[in-house]
Amino acid sequence: QVQLVESGGGWVQPGGSLKLACAASGLTFSNYAMSWHRQAPGKERDVVAQITMSGNMTRYAGSVKGRFTISRDNAKNMVFLQMNSLNIEDTAVYYCNAKGGYGTSYYGMDYWGEGTLVTVSP
């Protein structure tokens, strides 16, 4: 029943921008911390950005800080990742993740989307 569906991936030139979206269903969205992760071919999946249940705090990987912005709309059950000043190293499959918030009855729950491919090239 739980489903996370990413969208917005595609091809973009270096220096360009792209906005990813993740639509969640089948869960109490506001009780989950959300995050974006990415995985390039031959590399491990790593966290890119995180946002708390209410959206009051965010955290970014050093490689994307200042360029990427994570946000969420709890009324729409969606989380976004605005990516600016993209470079070739940002090429990867981007995944949406939901983790039950600490102190909630959903703590320990963990869900993943199938991913969306972002290709940055000239």
Side-chain angles (χ1 to χ4, degrees), residues 75-92:
K76 297 181 179 179
N77 285 8
M78 297 190 73
V79 62
F80 306 92
L81 184 67
Q82 177 66 53
M83 305 183 293
N84 299 324
S85 302
L86 286 163
N87 54 59
I88 296 176
E89 290 71 38
D90 294 318
T91 296

Side-chain angles (χ1 to χ4, degrees), residues 8-91:
W11 173 83
V12 65
Q13 297 184 68
S17 298
L18 209 60
K19 187 173 185 177
L20 305 182
C22 173
S25 61
L27 50 72
T28 308
F29 188 71
S30 62
N31 285 286
Y32 287 78
M34 302 298 296
S35 62
W36 287 94
H37 301 241
R38 68 185 182 186
Q39 185 170 25
K43 296 185 177 180
E44 295 185 339
R45 187 179 301 187
D46 60 337
V47 62
V48 173
Q50 300 167 290
I51 189 167
T52 53
M53 292 180 286
S54 67
N56 65 318
M57 291 188 291
T58 59
R59 183 162 59 192
Y60 300 91
S63 58
V64 307
K65 190 174 183 179
R67 300 189 297 121
F68 290 12
T69 302
I70 186 172
S71 62
R72 66 190 296 163
D73 187 336
N74 286 352
K76 297 181 179 179
N77 285 8
M78 297 190 73
V79 62
F80 306 92
L81 184 67
Q82 177 66 53
M83 305 183 293
N84 299 324
S85 302
L86 286 163
N87 54 59
I88 296 176
E89 290 71 38
D90 294 318
T91 296

